[in-house]
Amino acid sequence: PLDPASRAIGRYRLEKHNEKFWTPRYTLEWTPNDDTLIFFSAAKAIKPGGTNAAVSGAWIDIQFDGSIDENKFDRETLWAYELGAKKMWLDGTLRTNGSFFYQNYKGRQVSTQQPDCCGSSTSLILNAGVSEVFGLELDTLWQATEHWTFSVGYAWLDTEYTEFEFPNVSKSTVIEAGNCTLFDEDGAGPIAPTCIVSLTGNRLEQIPEHSFVGRAMYTAPLL
């Protein structure tokens, strides 16, 4: 006889996934003089939802019922606000830009290692509850001579998950989060040890707090 996973393969149906959304952007600009621009912007961005079947490279049916509804994830929504200024100096040879910004994510799509029904783990996308980003960006460009141009840029980011808990079997994620509550569903417990990990209060992954970039460019005609 076929195992439950094999029997479920023939019952899958292709499903269409349609989403409609509106992503507005609002901008206010003020130019007190020819060399200065002050601006404020508010914009909404959406990353459509989907199913984890494409992530793992195989149909994942945890309940073996021929449906992949339990593996769908919702859209990611972002509202971004920015206040900044642009200024030209020294007859236009020196340009400085600066801005403060705030970004609010709801349902941020995050890749995690989740337990399946048989004690193994697979990479799945989950929706984080809420996360926030506060930031500052500064950059300067100087046209020093006809041939030489110099530029520097700096960014500071303060990021945080304000609400995000999920089941996880990845040791590296547990170590990074610094916490683990053992999960025991219906008193039976999973085959593989499973943690309920909380990233609430943690920084967002792979986003440095400080970053700096510098560039020097020389240009000249070849002939």
Side-chain angles (χ1 to χ4, degrees):
L2 297 175
D3 58 72
S6 299
R7 291 198 302 269
I9 291 177
R11 299 200 299 270
Y12 287 115
R13 295 183 302 171
L14 294 177
E15 299 180 1
K16 293 183 178 180
H17 181 82
N18 296 319
E19 289 196 44
K20 294 181 180 180
F21 44 81
W22 181 46
T23 53
R25 178 181 177 86
Y26 309 97
T27 303
L28 295 175
E29 295 183 351
W30 178 43
T31 52
N33 54 60
D34 293 340
D35 298 325
T36 306
L37 170 67
I38 300 173
F39 66 91
F40 171 79
S41 67
K44 182 180 182 181
I46 290 180
K47 189 176 183 179
T51 175
N52 280 296
V55 175
S56 64
W59 294 102
I60 307 170
D61 183 8
I62 296 176
Q63 299 175 353
F64 294 131
D65 58 0
S67 172
I68 57 174
D69 288 343
E70 64 267 29
N71 292 312
K72 292 181 178 179
F73 53 90
D74 296 327
R75 65 174 59 174
E76 173 184 317
T77 303
L78 165 68
W79 271 102
Y81 307 90
E82 184 176 12
L83 174 65
K86 302 177 182 290
K87 177 71 174 179
M88 302 293 291
W89 313 80
L90 304 177
D91 297 325
T93 59
L94 179 65
R95 183 192 69 202
T96 57
N97 303 321
S99 66
F100 296 93
F101 58 88
Y102 168 71
Q103 299 175 347
N104 180 273
Y105 289 91
K106 291 185 178 179
R108 186 170 183 265
Q109 296 170 6
V110 180
S111 179
T112 65
Q113 290 295 318
Q114 295 284 291
D116 63 15
C117 64
C118 304
S120 301
S121 65
T122 188
S123 179
L124 299 178
I125 293 177
L126 295 181
N127 292 102
V130 180
S131 52
E132 297 178 328
V133 177
F134 293 89
L136 165 68
E137 288 186 337
L138 300 169
D139 67 84
T140 298
L141 185 144
W142 178 36
Q143 183 71 50
T145 68
E146 180 183 357
H147 303 293
W148 281 101
T149 303
F150 301 92
S151 63
V152 293
Y154 168 76
W156 167 77
L157 297 175
D158 181 17
T159 67
E160 181 182 10
Y161 285 111
T162 58
E163 179 187 339
F164 190 25
E165 293 185 356
F166 58 96
N168 172 78
V169 294
S170 169
K171 294 180 180 179
S172 60
T173 301
V174 173
I175 294 173
E176 181 180 355
N179 62 82
C180 169
T181 302
L182 289 178
F183 175 61
D184 188 14
E185 185 177 11
D186 299 328
I191 297 176
T194 303
C195 289
I196 299 298
V197 173
S198 175
L199 292 182
T200 301
N202 285 29
R203 291 183 57 84
L204 275 61
E205 302 87 348
Q206 300 179 353
I207 300 180
E209 182 177 3
H210 302 278
S211 59
F212 176 84
V213 60
R215 186 182 68 166
M217 183 173 62
Y218 179 84
T219 58
L222 293 178
L223 299 177

